[in-house]
Amino acid sequence: MKYALFLKWWLLFTIICISSVFIYYTGFFQEVWIKDSSYLSYATLVLFFISSLFCGVHTFCFCKNKSPDLQYYERLEEIGWFVSELCLTLGMMGTIIGFIMMLSGFETIDMSNPQTIQNLLAQLGKSMATALYTTIVGLVCGSLLKLQVFNVSLELQKLGVNSEN
Protein backbone atom coordinates (compact mmCIF):
# COMPACT_ATOMS: atom_id res chain seq x y z
CA MET A 1 0.00 0.00 0.00
CA LYS A 2 1.47 3.31 -1.10
CA TYR A 3 0.44 5.40 1.92
CA ALA A 4 0.88 2.76 4.64
CA LEU A 5 3.68 4.73 6.32
CA PHE A 6 1.58 7.88 6.39
CA LEU A 7 -1.43 5.97 7.72
CA LYS A 8 0.70 4.63 10.59
CA TRP A 9 1.73 8.18 11.42
CA TRP A 10 -1.87 9.38 11.09
CA LEU A 11 -3.13 6.67 13.48
CA LEU A 12 -0.52 7.58 16.09
CA PHE A 13 -1.17 11.32 15.69
CA THR A 14 -4.93 10.81 15.97
CA ILE A 15 -4.47 8.80 19.17
CA ILE A 16 -2.24 11.58 20.52
CA CYS A 17 -4.82 14.25 19.66
CA ILE A 18 -7.71 12.32 21.19
CA SER A 19 -5.63 11.66 24.30
CA SER A 20 -4.75 15.36 24.47
CA VAL A 21 -8.42 16.32 24.39
CA PHE A 22 -9.15 13.81 27.14
CA ILE A 23 -6.23 15.12 29.21
CA TYR A 24 -7.42 18.69 28.65
CA TYR A 25 -10.86 17.86 30.05
CA THR A 26 -9.31 16.26 33.13
CA GLY A 27 -7.69 19.61 33.88
CA PHE A 28 -4.10 18.47 33.52
CA PHE A 29 -3.07 21.27 31.14
CA GLN A 30 -4.56 23.91 33.43
CA GLU A 31 -2.77 22.33 36.39
CA VAL A 32 0.54 22.41 34.54
CA TRP A 33 -0.05 26.03 33.51
CA ILE A 34 -0.65 27.06 37.13
CA LYS A 35 2.10 24.98 38.74
CA ASP A 36 4.94 25.14 36.16
CA SER A 37 6.72 28.41 36.89
CA SER A 38 9.32 27.84 34.15
CA TYR A 39 6.71 27.26 31.40
CA LEU A 40 9.09 24.73 29.86
CA SER A 41 6.27 22.18 29.79
CA TYR A 42 4.31 24.30 27.35
CA ALA A 43 7.42 25.06 25.29
CA THR A 44 7.99 21.30 25.07
CA LEU A 45 4.37 20.65 24.10
CA VAL A 46 4.46 23.30 21.37
CA LEU A 47 7.76 21.92 20.05
CA PHE A 48 6.28 18.42 20.11
CA PHE A 49 3.13 19.29 18.16
CA ILE A 50 5.02 21.35 15.57
CA SER A 51 7.52 18.52 15.13
CA SER A 52 4.74 15.95 14.88
CA LEU A 53 3.05 17.94 12.12
CA PHE A 54 6.43 18.39 10.40
CA CYS A 55 6.94 14.62 10.59
CA GLY A 56 3.47 13.99 9.16
CA VAL A 57 3.89 16.39 6.24
CA HIS A 58 7.22 14.89 5.29
CA THR A 59 5.91 11.35 5.74
CA PHE A 60 3.09 12.18 3.35
CA CYS A 61 5.54 13.68 0.83
CA PHE A 62 7.77 10.63 1.21
CA CYS A 63 4.87 8.30 0.40
CA LYS A 64 3.69 10.48 -2.49
CA ASN A 65 7.03 10.46 -4.35
CA LYS A 66 7.66 7.46 -6.59
CA SER A 67 11.43 7.64 -6.10
CA PRO A 68 12.14 9.75 -3.02
CA ASP A 69 15.56 11.26 -2.40
CA LEU A 70 16.65 9.00 0.46
CA GLN A 71 19.47 11.31 1.56
CA TYR A 72 17.04 14.21 1.99
CA TYR A 73 14.69 12.12 4.11
CA GLU A 74 17.61 10.70 6.11
CA ARG A 75 18.60 14.27 7.00
CA LEU A 76 15.01 14.96 8.06
CA GLU A 77 15.11 11.77 10.13
CA GLU A 78 18.20 13.10 11.94
CA ILE A 79 16.34 16.34 12.66
CA GLY A 80 13.50 14.27 14.11
CA TRP A 81 15.86 12.34 16.39
CA PHE A 82 17.44 15.65 17.48
CA VAL A 83 14.08 17.24 18.32
CA SER A 84 12.95 14.18 20.27
CA GLU A 85 16.14 14.39 22.33
CA LEU A 86 15.55 18.12 22.72
CA CYS A 87 12.14 17.40 24.25
CA LEU A 88 13.79 15.08 26.75
CA THR A 89 16.47 17.68 27.47
CA LEU A 90 13.89 20.41 28.07
CA GLY A 91 12.16 18.12 30.55
CA MET A 92 15.41 17.54 32.42
CA MET A 93 16.22 21.26 32.36
CA GLY A 94 12.84 21.93 33.92
CA THR A 95 13.65 19.40 36.62
CA ILE A 96 16.88 21.19 37.45
CA ILE A 97 15.18 24.60 37.36
CA GLY A 98 12.49 23.33 39.72
CA PHE A 99 15.09 22.00 42.15
CA ILE A 100 17.04 25.26 42.00
CA MET A 101 13.83 27.19 42.71
CA MET A 102 13.12 24.82 45.57
CA LEU A 103 16.52 25.20 47.18
CA SER A 104 16.68 28.97 46.69
CA GLY A 105 13.87 29.37 49.22
CA PHE A 106 16.18 28.36 52.05
CA GLU A 107 18.24 31.55 51.67
CA THR A 108 15.76 33.87 53.35
CA ILE A 109 14.17 31.60 55.91
CA ASP A 110 13.72 32.86 59.45
CA MET A 111 13.24 29.82 61.66
CA SER A 112 11.70 31.90 64.46
CA ASN A 113 8.89 33.18 62.23
CA PRO A 114 6.19 30.60 61.40
CA GLN A 115 4.93 32.70 58.46
CA THR A 116 8.26 32.39 56.60
CA ILE A 117 8.20 28.64 57.15
CA GLN A 118 4.68 28.44 55.70
CA ASN A 119 5.75 30.54 52.72
CA LEU A 120 8.76 28.28 52.23
CA LEU A 121 6.58 25.17 52.25
CA ALA A 122 4.25 26.72 49.65
CA GLN A 123 7.25 27.62 47.47
CA LEU A 124 8.69 24.12 47.89
CA GLY A 125 5.44 22.59 46.67
CA LYS A 126 5.24 24.81 43.59
CA SER A 127 8.93 24.28 42.78
CA MET A 128 8.61 20.51 43.11
CA ALA A 129 5.54 20.59 40.86
CA THR A 130 7.60 22.49 38.26
CA ALA A 131 10.32 19.86 38.46
CA LEU A 132 7.96 16.92 38.12
CA TYR A 133 5.61 18.35 35.48
CA THR A 134 8.44 19.37 33.18
CA THR A 135 9.97 15.92 33.59
CA ILE A 136 6.81 14.02 32.71
CA VAL A 137 5.94 16.29 29.77
CA GLY A 138 9.48 16.03 28.40
CA LEU A 139 9.55 12.25 28.73
CA VAL A 140 6.15 11.69 27.16
CA CYS A 141 6.69 14.14 24.28
CA GLY A 142 10.18 12.83 23.57
CA SER A 143 8.99 9.23 23.59
CA LEU A 144 5.99 9.88 21.34
CA LEU A 145 8.13 11.82 18.88
CA LYS A 146 10.67 8.99 18.86
CA LEU A 147 7.87 6.58 17.92
CA GLN A 148 6.98 8.75 14.94
CA VAL A 149 10.59 9.10 13.79
CA PHE A 150 11.27 5.39 14.35
CA ASN A 151 8.38 4.57 12.02
CA VAL A 152 10.01 6.63 9.26
CA SER A 153 13.45 5.27 10.11
CA LEU A 154 12.34 1.69 9.57
CA GLU A 155 10.92 2.56 6.16
CA LEU A 156 14.12 4.38 5.16
CA GLN A 157 16.21 1.40 6.21
CA LYS A 158 13.98 -0.96 4.25
CA LEU A 159 14.22 1.20 1.13
CA GLY A 160 17.97 1.66 1.58
CA VAL A 161 18.51 -2.11 1.70
CA ASN A 162 16.26 -2.63 -1.32
CA SER A 163 18.02 0.05 -3.39
CA GLU A 164 21.46 -1.46 -2.68
CA ASN A 165 20.43 -4.87 -4.14
Side-chain angles (χ1 to χ4, degrees):
M1 185 169 174
K2 183 176 179 180
Y3 290 100
L5 179 65
F6 177 72
L7 291 175
K8 288 178 191 175
W9 174 85
W10 182 252
L11 176 64
L12 181 61
F13 188 73
T14 303
I15 291 170
I16 290 169
C17 288
I18 290 170
S19 300
S20 296
V21 169
F22 175 73
I23 290 169
Y24 173 78
Y25 281 110
T26 62
F28 180 76
F29 291 133
Q30 292 85 356
E31 182 81 14
V32 170
W33 182 258
I34 293 168
K35 300 273 174 87
D36 182 9
S37 303
S38 69
Y39 300 108
L40 279 176
S41 298
Y42 275 93
T44 306
L45 284 169
V46 168
L47 179 66
F48 168 72
F49 277 107
I50 289 171
S51 299
S52 292
L53 291 173
F54 180 80
C55 184
V57 166
H58 287 289
T59 302
F60 181 77
C61 292
F62 179 78
C63 292
K64 190 175 167 182
N65 291 336
K66 299 244 186 251
S67 57
D69 179 13
L70 291 181
Q71 289 180 343
Y72 173 74
Y73 287 102
E74 285 172 354
R75 285 192 303 272
L76 291 177
E77 174 195 8
E78 290 298 320
I79 292 171
W81 288 118
F82 172 76
V83 173
S84 67
E85 288 296 319
L86 185 60
C87 287
L88 293 170
T89 302
L90 285 173
M92 293 299 111
M93 282 176 50
T95 304
I96 299 301
I97 289 170
F99 285 142
I100 289 171
M101 289 168 44
M102 190 169 66
L103 295 174
S104 69
F106 287 104
E107 292 174 350
T108 59
I109 189 166
D110 179 14
M111 294 302 276
S112 62
N113 186 354
Q115 185 62 36
T116 59
I117 295 173
Q118 288 176 346
N119 291 341
L120 175 67
L121 290 176
Q123 181 185 352
L124 289 177
K126 187 167 183 168
S127 301
M128 192 61 166
T130 295
L132 295 177
Y133 282 136
T134 55
T135 303
I136 192 70
V137 169
L139 288 173
V140 169
C141 289
S143 298
L144 290 174
L145 196 54
K146 282 184 179 192
L147 277 174
Q148 295 174 45
V149 175
F150 182 72
N151 190 25
V152 174
S153 181
L154 286 178
E155 189 69 24
L156 284 173
Q157 286 177 358
K158 187 168 64 172
L159 285 175
V161 170
N162 290 341
S163 66
E164 291 173 3
N165 293 335

